[in-house]
Amino acid sequence: MCSALLLALGLMMVLSASSIEALQKTGSPFSWFIKQSVSTAVGVPLMWICSRLPVKFFRWAGYPAMALSILALVMVLFIGSAELGAQRWIYVGSFTIQPSEPAKLGLVLWGADLLARRARQGRIEWRQLLIPLMPGTAILAVMVMLGRDLGTTLVLFMIFLALLWVVGAPVKLFGGIMGLAVLAAVIMIKVEPYRMARIGAFWDPWADAQGAGYQAVQGQIAMGSGGWFGLGLGSSRQKWSWLPHGESDFIFAILGEELGLMGTLMVVALFGLLGYAGLRVAVRVNDPFIRLSAAAMVAWIVGQATVNMGAVLGVLPITGIPLPLVSYGGSSLLPTLVALGMLVSFAKREPGAREALAARGPGPAARALSWLGLGSTTRRRVTR
């Protein structure tokens, strides 16, 4: 339910936030909304299919997903397009593919199965668990960093830490990894002037409100203009070429302007409920693969949402990562929906889940087929 509400809200906000810029660039206010609708039309059936697949399939799929992710990240370095200081996209006709987004799903599946196999064999010594998890994560992170995408690197790092936390790695290991991550982040910031400007704008965006701090300032104006209940859906003023990337990175600001504080709190609550549901699955099931992958997916989706919303609110630096399920972009939406379909499949393995589903009876689709004479909820015995 949380996923459906966020997805529906996202479609409405993409239509509202992108309409002006889409009209200026394509001649139709619905251009980007139609693309997002196509991605949703593909993603929802994928989510439904994944919700019915066995756990064994996901364990197998992690290895080809990881290999394809590395291959795609290598390709983007050679044939990808650079925009806004980062080389992330591959253009396929009128659509763009961002390989770093499905790489998150690949890392979740591959890392979870890798650790689950080691744990099942009794080898749960953390030094053994780091190999080859750390090198594999490092390869993805280096590829993403070569494309100058610090935000996605941070999300990969959160997935990696979530996997180690679930298997019980010691606190001193987290300290060492955090130290290495901070050092790498400082180096990445130092070598790119635009990142240094972003850090300066983070501390005081109003000091350079027409330069490096422009997006942050316009986002704060949008949030502040919404008040308690917002200006009304579609009534944003900042989307009229004031706020850059209002349909993607800063869609939370447009949402706050149009739906107000109540709207933003609703989004925060929905992500909180989504995270609770995922962690509930991770805690209640006995399968180590499900525990690991469910926790890692929560770290990915909820962690990314936290970073995005924190950047809009000005409590975190701007990283350029989308708000899951809400922001414009099929490359982000499709892997997220697949991950949520997996969580639904895992939830069916919770203790008592099968009994609860059986007690609920047939769903609306099955009842509709029964009414049409195309199926029945009970089998009839034919006797002579």
Side-chain angles (χ1 to χ4, degrees), residues 4-82:
L5 290 174
L6 286 169
L7 191 60
L9 180 62
L11 284 173
M12 289 191 301
M13 294 310 306
V14 166
L15 175 59
S16 175
S18 67
S19 58
I20 304 303
E21 190 172 355
L23 180 63
Q24 293 172 345
K25 292 185 176 181
T26 67
S28 170
F30 303 103
S31 297
W32 294 347
F33 170 72
I34 291 173
K35 288 184 178 180
Q36 188 74 354
S37 299
V38 170
S39 298
T40 303
V42 173
V44 170
L46 279 177
M47 178 181 176
W48 182 84
I49 292 171
C50 288
S51 70
R52 282 155 174 77
L53 290 174
V55 175
K56 186 180 297 185
F57 173 83
F58 300 118
R59 301 193 68 160
W60 169 85
Y63 296 87
M66 186 70 170
L68 289 173
S69 297
I70 295 174
L71 177 62
L73 288 171
V74 172
M75 290 176 59
V76 80
L77 296 177
F78 293 97
I79 63 174
S81 298

Side-chain angles (χ1 to χ4, degrees), residues 294-319:
M297 282 188 282
V298 169
W300 157 25
I301 297 172
V302 179
Q304 182 170 317
T306 302
V307 171
N308 177 277
M309 292 185 288
V312 172
L313 294 173
V315 298
L316 292 174
I318 297 174
T319 57

Side-chain angles (χ1 to χ4, degrees), residues 292-355:
L292 286 160
S293 53
M297 282 188 282
V298 169
W300 157 25
I301 297 172
V302 179
Q304 182 170 317
T306 302
V307 171
N308 177 277
M309 292 185 288
V312 172
L313 294 173
V315 298
L316 292 174
I318 297 174
T319 57
I321 57 176
L323 184 61
L325 298 173
V326 181
S327 291
Y328 170 76
S331 294
S332 173
L333 180 63
L334 293 178
T336 304
L337 289 174
V338 168
L340 292 172
M342 290 169 51
L343 274 179
V344 174
S345 175
F346 296 162
K348 295 176 183 178
R349 273 74 181 175
E350 284 190 60
R354 294 183 183 276
E355 292 78 2

Side-chain angles (χ1 to χ4, degrees), residues 278-301:
L279 291 178
R280 183 176 184 272
V281 171
V283 170
R284 287 170 58 88
V285 297
N286 296 320
D287 189 315
F289 171 77
I290 293 179
R291 289 207 318 269
L292 286 160
S293 53
M297 282 188 282
V298 169
W300 157 25
I301 297 172

Side-chain angles (χ1 to χ4, degrees), residues 113-345:
D113 184 66
L114 185 73
L115 297 181
R117 290 180 187 276
R118 295 275 181 105
R120 285 172 58 186
Q121 294 173 5
R123 299 201 306 267
I124 55 175
E125 170 64 33
W126 64 267
R127 293 179 180 85
Q128 296 176 351
L129 293 175
L130 286 178
I131 305 297
L133 178 62
M134 181 176 283
T137 306
I139 290 173
L140 285 181
V142 168
M143 293 294 179
V144 173
M145 284 191 291
L146 288 175
R148 293 170 290 181
D149 186 356
L150 184 59
T152 301
T153 306
L154 175 62
V155 177
L156 293 174
F157 177 67
M158 289 191 290
I159 294 172
F160 174 69
L161 287 184
L163 290 171
L164 290 185
W165 181 268
V166 174
V167 296
V171 176
K172 63 181 180 181
L173 174 63
F174 284 90
I177 294 175
M178 287 291 291
L180 290 174
V182 170
L183 178 62
V186 169
I187 294 173
M188 289 184 68
I189 292 170
K190 287 286 187 181
V191 298
E192 293 289 354
Y194 81 93
R195 290 201 185 104
M196 288 294 296
R198 279 186 175 181
I199 294 299
F202 165 66
W203 293 116
D204 187 8
W206 292 89
D208 189 12
Q210 296 299 317
Y214 180 80
Q215 188 179 31
V217 166
Q218 296 301 320
Q220 292 178 17
I221 292 174
M223 294 292 289
S225 301
W228 285 93
F229 301 103
L231 303 178
L233 191 62
S235 301
S236 168
R237 295 188 289 261
Q238 293 302 107
K239 70 182 181 182
W240 289 80
S241 302
W242 289 102
L243 178 62
H245 308 290
E247 78 287 346
S248 54
D249 303 346
F250 266 65
I251 198 167
F252 191 65
I254 302 295
L255 188 148
E257 185 182 12
E258 295 189 351
L259 302 182
L261 178 62
M262 295 297 103
T264 59
L265 290 179
M266 180 184 69
V267 171
V268 172
L270 288 173
F271 276 112
L273 289 172
L274 191 61
Y276 168 77
L279 291 178
R280 183 176 184 272
V281 171
V283 170
R284 287 170 58 88
V285 297
N286 296 320
D287 189 315
F289 171 77
I290 293 179
R291 289 207 318 269
L292 286 160
S293 53
M297 282 188 282
V298 169
W300 157 25
I301 297 172
V302 179
Q304 182 170 317
T306 302
V307 171
N308 177 277
M309 292 185 288
V312 172
L313 294 173
V315 298
L316 292 174
I318 297 174
T319 57
I321 57 176
L323 184 61
L325 298 173
V326 181
S327 291
Y328 170 76
S331 294
S332 173
L333 180 63
L334 293 178
T336 304
L337 289 174
V338 168
L340 292 172
M342 290 169 51
L343 274 179
V344 174
S345 175

